[in-house]
């Protein structure tokens, strides 16, 4: 399969430059499950969008420190692309900012986290299990970093997972949209470095808890498999194969 990675990360700091960019990390994530798949990265935060989504078997929208509520032109353009993909039933996966952007573009709402920042390893209880997620554990561990969350789901969305800090940490619409509030692409070394980089923003209590959470592993490989299965079962793929 050939996937578009819609890169929304606006961080161009020295810290960001010293670590793999999202195009690399999301490619590595899908390669955990399907090493022969190819990706093409589009820096949508710079206004660079695919000229023809029909060239792709689907897309993944990355995370970002930007807010989906900031009214930026590229965010509004991304909303339009999401609506076009939803109408075409083309498979779309979103993580963190991507999760929130899909929700808002399709009629949902995003607001501040009531408890402030969520950062570090999160534990997410499975509420519903589509076929592509059949082998995920009942409690999914993924790294998180967000100060906003989806507060109202789009119409026809199925709430997939929740945590103690967030009522919706992932949702699906039909067989063509799959999201997570968290960061399945992140590795523990990066989360440690990010925690240190954000220490002034997060505060000592959240930093201590986040660093302590790193003693337990994330369910990265299992979640990568669920993403791959999601793209494989998507309706347009089935039609192409005559199923």
């Amino acid at each position: 399969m050939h996937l578009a990675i819609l890169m929304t990360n606006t961080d161009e700091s020295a810290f960001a430059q010293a670590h793999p960019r999202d195009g690399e990390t999301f490619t590595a994530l899908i390669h955990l499950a399907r090493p022969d798949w190819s990706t093409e990265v589009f820096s949508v935060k710079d206004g660079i969008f695919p000229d023809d989504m029909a060239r792709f078997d689907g897309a993944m929208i990355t995370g970002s420190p930007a807010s989906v509520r900031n009214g930026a032109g590229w965010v509004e353009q991304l909303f339009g692309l999401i609506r076009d993909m939803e109408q075409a039933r083309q498979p779309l996966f979103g993580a963190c900012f991507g999760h929130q952007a899909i929700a808002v573009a399709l009629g949902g709402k995003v607001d501040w986290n009531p408890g402030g920042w969520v950062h570090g390893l999160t534990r997410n209880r499975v509420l519903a299990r589509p076929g592509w997620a059949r082998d995920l554990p009942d409690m999914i561990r993924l790294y998180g970093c967000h100060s906003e969350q989806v507060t109202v789901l789009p119409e026809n969305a199925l709430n997939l997972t929740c945590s103690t800090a967030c009522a919706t940490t992932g949702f699906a619409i039909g067989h063509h949209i799959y999201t997570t509030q968290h960061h399945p692409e992140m590795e523990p070394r990066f989360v440690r470095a990010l925690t240190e980089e954000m220490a002034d923003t997060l505060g000592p209590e959240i930093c201590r808890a986040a660093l302590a959470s790193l003693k337990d592993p994330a369910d990265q490989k299992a979640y990568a498999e669920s993403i791959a299965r999601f793209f494989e079962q998507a309706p347009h793929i089935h039609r192409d194969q005559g199923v």
Side-chain angles (χ1 to χ4, degrees), residues 96 99-100 103 109 113 124-125 127 146 148-154 157-172 179-182:
C96 198
H99 157 85
Q100 295 177 7
K109 293 183 180 179
N113 296 337
N124 304 271
R125 182 164 61 89
L127 303 173
H146 63 100
E148 295 179 298
Q149 64 177 275
V150 173
T151 55
V152 177
L153 283 166
L158 177 66
N159 195 8
L160 296 180
T161 56
C162 69
S163 71
T164 56
C166 190
T168 297
T169 59
F171 67 87
T179 78
T180 176
Q181 174 58 69
H182 301 309

Side-chain angles (χ1 to χ4, degrees), residues 1-7 22-24 26-27 30-31 37-44 48-53 55-56 58-60 62:
M1 286 191 176
H2 186 48
L3 302 177
I5 297 177
L6 308 179
M7 206 270 287
D22 286 356
E24 297 175 62
F26 275 79
T27 297
I30 201 65
H31 281 174
W37 288 11
S38 62
T39 63
E40 193 170 338
V41 181
F42 297 87
S43 186
V44 298
I48 302 171
F49 284 76
D51 56 358
D52 182 10
M53 282 305 303
R55 294 198 296 112
F56 300 95
M60 297 191 286
T62 74

Side-chain angles (χ1 to χ4, degrees), residues 86 91-92 102 106 132 171-179 230:
E86 202 282 331
L92 177 61
I102 293 169
L106 301 182
W132 65 79
F171 67 87
I173 299 177
H175 297 278
H176 59 287
I177 287 176
Y178 182 29
T179 78
F230 162 72

